[in-house]
Amino acid sequence: MVGFNPDHGLFSYGLGALPPDWPGNYWLHWGLFVIIIIVFVLAMVMAFIYFERRGLGRLQVRLGPNRVGPFGILQPVADAIKILLKEDIVPAKGDKLVHWWAPVVAFAPALMIFAVIPFENGALLADLNIGILYIVAVSSVSVVGVFMAAWSCNNKFSLIGAMRTVAQIVSYEIPLGFSIIGVALIAGSLSMNEIVTSQNIPFILLQPLGFLIYFISACAEMNRTPFDLMEAESEIVDGYHIEYSGMKFAMFYLAEYVEALAISAIITTLFLSGWKGPLLPPFLWFLIKVVLIFFAIVWVRGTIPRIRVDQLMAFAWKCLLPLALINLFITGIEVIVLPQPLPWLIVFLNLAIMAILVLLWSKFFKLGGGRVEV
């Protein structure tokens, strides 16, 4: 198959990979990696919050946080203390039990994704042979928490935001899934660890259109600008979590950044060869690639304005979904017809196909312009 190395089998741990029960006991392995994941996620989220606020400041010709600590580096800590001291308010006519559980249901799936993310070869909590399928399934649960939050608040603006969220995530989940199938076809596996070890060259070069579709769809699922319609302050007063305060609001806030970290890690694993790289330690390469992907997400947020809700839905169904299907069809042909191709020839061919398809779709399909599409 394209880019597949048969030496990297499912049980080939003789190539520098950690054994599945490292450091020697199943429960010790489980406990150690749970601690590593929690520490890694919390540390990276705090760094991302600071990085995004400072980065957006530079992109928008302003300073960003610069008062708390040197260069404002302690601003996330100050924000956390402030949120912990805020009063927890529950609407008088809301559903208190659902109101309490909603932030947990929204936050937990984003954290669970890291169970199958390999930081190095074999360095992951569980090397599932359906790892990417697990990620797609778990990440879809967070929308339930969002709808629970809106319903429990007994607020029409919250409910409008949640309904937008459900429509948006369902729409963009489909092209996102199809873009992942192309990677699975090339790698010959659904295991996240096996996908990395099968990348003799990064799959972003073999699947440039798949990468573009996944990146855009993931930004829409995270509700990042320009797809942040469910939190549109100018339209629906901050959307589904308008009635939340204190630590419950912080859970939703953290969930957004944990999802951004998870998406960056998934893109690194699927398209950027994960931990692979010369000279530097594997984990450091993984970290560098994750930060670069997050920078791209921040760059998009600081550059592109929010689109209308009709344009949001039309873009998913009229542009991304057809392109994802065409990309999957072309990838299937390449895998069947060219079982052992010259990778660089496929790279140039797929880059040309992506350029032609994106150009044609931009000419043939217009997203409303000045009119509202139905």
Side-chain angles (χ1 to χ4, degrees):
M1 294 184 182
V2 182
F4 178 69
N5 188 345
D7 294 332
H8 293 129
L10 184 60
F11 299 102
S12 58
Y13 292 100
L15 300 172
L18 292 176
D21 61 344
W22 181 86
N25 177 276
Y26 171 79
W27 290 109
L28 185 59
H29 170 88
W30 188 88
L32 182 61
F33 270 97
V34 166
I35 294 173
I36 290 173
I37 288 171
I38 292 174
V39 172
F40 172 78
V41 169
L42 292 180
M44 290 298 293
V45 163
M46 292 185 68
F48 277 7
I49 292 173
Y50 171 78
F51 178 74
E52 179 171 31
R53 294 180 66 179
R54 289 287 289 190
L56 285 176
R58 295 299 181 184
L59 290 171
Q60 298 169 352
V61 197
R62 55 186 177 84
L63 294 177
N66 62 352
R67 298 293 182 182
V68 187
F71 305 103
I73 199 169
L74 296 178
Q75 188 65 49
V77 178
D79 291 341
I81 295 173
K82 180 185 71 173
I83 287 177
L84 287 171
L85 296 176
K86 284 184 175 291
E87 182 183 0
D88 178 28
I89 300 173
V90 181
K93 296 184 179 180
D95 190 321
K96 292 179 175 55
L97 183 60
V98 178
H99 190 273
W100 190 91
W101 273 106
V104 178
V105 175
F107 178 81
L111 191 61
M112 291 169 63
I113 289 174
F114 290 92
V116 295
I117 297 293
F119 300 104
E120 294 184 19
N121 194 2
L124 69 168
L125 178 61
D127 187 10
L128 301 180
N129 58 2
I130 53 167
I132 192 61
L133 184 61
Y134 164 85
I135 288 176
V136 173
V138 168
S139 60
S140 302
V141 177
S142 60
V143 69
V144 178
V146 170
F147 195 80
M148 287 171 62
W151 183 265
S152 67
C153 291
N154 194 26
N155 183 304
K156 58 185 178 183
F157 294 107
S158 297
L159 199 56
I160 291 173
M163 294 303 294
R164 282 183 174 184
T165 305
V166 173
Q168 178 174 326
I169 291 182
V170 168
S171 299
Y172 281 88
E173 190 80 26
I174 299 172
L176 183 143
F178 281 127
S179 65
I180 291 173
I181 295 175
V183 171
L185 283 174
I186 295 174
S189 175
L190 294 176
S191 164
M192 297 292 281
N193 200 74
E194 285 295 303
I195 288 174
V196 176
T197 56
S198 67
Q199 294 185 52
N200 296 325
I201 60 173
F203 282 170
I204 188 175
L205 300 177
L206 295 175
Q207 285 280 288
L209 184 56
F211 167 78
L212 183 64
I213 293 169
Y214 186 90
F215 182 82
I216 295 173
S217 300
C219 286
E221 290 211 348
M222 290 187 294
N223 305 296
R224 304 286 295 190
T225 307
F227 305 106
D228 57 336
L229 270 297
M230 76 175 190
E231 300 176 15
E233 293 89 347
S234 58
E235 301 174 29
I236 52 175
V237 205
D238 208 28
Y240 67 94
H241 53 55
I242 182 176
E243 300 287 359
Y244 279 85
S245 62
M247 198 59 199
K248 291 179 184 175
F249 171 80
M251 292 284 284
F252 285 113
Y253 186 74
L254 288 174
E256 179 180 334
Y257 281 94
V258 174
E259 287 176 4
L261 175 60
I263 291 298
S264 301
I266 293 168
I267 291 176
T268 297
T269 303
L270 295 182
F271 297 100
L272 301 181
S273 298
W275 65 81
K276 289 185 176 181
L279 301 178
L280 299 177
F283 176 73
L284 191 55
W285 270 116
F286 176 82
L287 198 60
I288 290 171
K289 295 173 184 178
V290 167
V291 172
L292 287 176
I293 292 297
F294 183 75
F295 175 75
I297 295 171
V298 173
W299 195 355
V300 170
R301 178 181 177 182
T303 306
I304 303 177
R306 181 188 301 138
I307 61 178
R308 296 196 312 259
V309 65
D310 61 303
Q311 294 172 330
L312 174 83
M313 302 303 292
F315 185 62
W317 294 103
K318 294 183 179 180
C319 293
L320 292 186
L321 180 57
L323 288 175
L325 288 171
I326 293 172
N327 179 68
L328 181 59
F329 180 72
I330 293 172
T331 304
I333 291 177
E334 291 175 352
V335 170
I336 295 172
V337 177
L338 303 171
Q340 292 181 339
L342 296 174
W344 289 107
L345 294 179
I346 298 299
V347 168
F348 296 130
L349 175 63
N350 287 346
L351 285 172
I353 291 172
M354 180 188 74
I356 293 171
L357 286 174
V358 171
L359 181 62
L360 288 176
W361 246 255
S362 66
K363 296 295 183 182
F364 293 156
F365 296 95
K366 303 296 183 182
L367 296 181
R371 64 188 178 86
V372 176
E373 294 195 0
V374 178

